[in-house]
Amino acid sequence: MATTNDLKNGMVLNLDGQLWSVVNFQHVKPGKGGAFVRTTLKHVVSGKVVDRTFNAGTKVDTATVDRRDMTYLYNDGSHYVFMDTETYDQLELSADLVGDAANFLLENTEVQVGMHEGTPLYVELPTSVELTIEHTDPGLQGDRSTGGTKPARLETGAEIQVPLFLSSGEKIKVDTRDGRYLGRA
């Protein structure tokens, strides 16, 4: 148990039997009335985001989430297989659990898997990965004042927008949180 004064970003709370991760919190002390804590919570399994307000000093139940370093091995068609880097145990995760992270997963990618009481909750990728552009149309410079973008398919099958000067076969850095092009690798 902890109080709302102990909240930190990334902390996982057990509210009404469901796990919620604290995305953002703000301690508010209005001129009139008692202080309160305004939070933005993200459901660990479904990804749903909600805003919730607690009175200051309210006790909240914290959940222990064990973050394990794992290596992505392969996809057997229905499951993604990961290996624990400490125990070398293999773990099969469903495509639903991996979610959008599958767009940026290459074999031997180091990831973190969040576990709660032996149950895998989520897969967390590094903030950026280096991927090769599998196919993109040649960029044509036109009369525009700012740099344009074009669609590109990466080696993982993901489609992102890249600048016009890039061509097929180039290695680029991609932000795994929103799929943005960050630069050449």
Side-chain angles (χ1 to χ4, degrees):
M1 287 295 250
T3 65
T4 54
N5 299 333
D6 302 329
L7 291 181
K8 291 182 177 59
N9 289 345
M11 184 181 268
V12 178
L13 306 177
N14 188 353
L15 301 174
D16 305 324
Q18 295 183 337
L19 298 178
W20 298 85
S21 176
V22 178
V23 176
N24 195 359
F25 71 97
Q26 180 182 19
H27 190 83
V28 180
K29 174 106 175 78
K32 192 178 201 181
F36 59 92
V37 178
R38 187 178 296 136
T39 62
T40 303
L41 304 173
K42 181 178 181 182
H43 195 270
V44 172
V45 177
S46 69
K48 179 181 174 185
V49 178
V50 296
D51 291 327
R52 185 148 177 195
T53 305
F54 299 96
N55 289 331
T58 304
K59 291 198 180 302
V60 289
D61 191 16
T62 59
T64 53
V65 174
D66 181 24
R67 291 177 180 220
R68 295 189 185 162
D69 291 328
M70 296 201 173
T71 303
Y72 169 64
L73 298 178
Y74 61 92
N75 179 0
D76 66 3
S78 60
H79 290 88
Y80 291 85
V81 181
F82 294 86
M83 179 184 67
D84 193 320
T85 56
E86 290 179 17
T87 63
Y88 301 107
D89 291 337
Q90 290 189 7
L91 179 69
E92 290 186 1
L93 300 180
S94 67
D96 294 341
L97 192 67
V98 175
D100 291 337
N103 292 332
F104 306 108
L105 269 179
L106 280 178
E107 291 179 2
N108 299 322
T109 301
E110 297 290 325
V111 299
Q112 283 193 332
V113 176
M115 309 276 279
H116 176 66
E117 296 175 357
T119 306
L121 300 173
Y122 59 86
V123 175
E124 190 175 296
L125 292 170
T127 52
S128 67
V129 291
E130 292 183 4
L131 298 170
T132 304
I133 297 175
E134 193 173 84
H135 173 74
T136 186
D137 294 327
L140 299 173
Q141 288 290 12
D143 49 0
R144 66 178 73 79
S145 59
T146 60
T149 61
K150 61 183 178 179
R153 187 177 66 244
L154 304 175
E155 60 187 312
T156 59
E159 293 259 339
I160 68 165
Q161 293 292 319
V162 297
L164 292 172
F165 59 82
L166 292 174
S167 59
S168 298
E170 289 194 59
K171 234 177 164 33
I172 60 170
K173 269 185 133 169
V174 179
D175 189 329
T176 58
R177 296 168 293 192
D178 55 9
R180 272 185 309 121
Y181 164 79
L182 294 175
R184 284 185 167 138

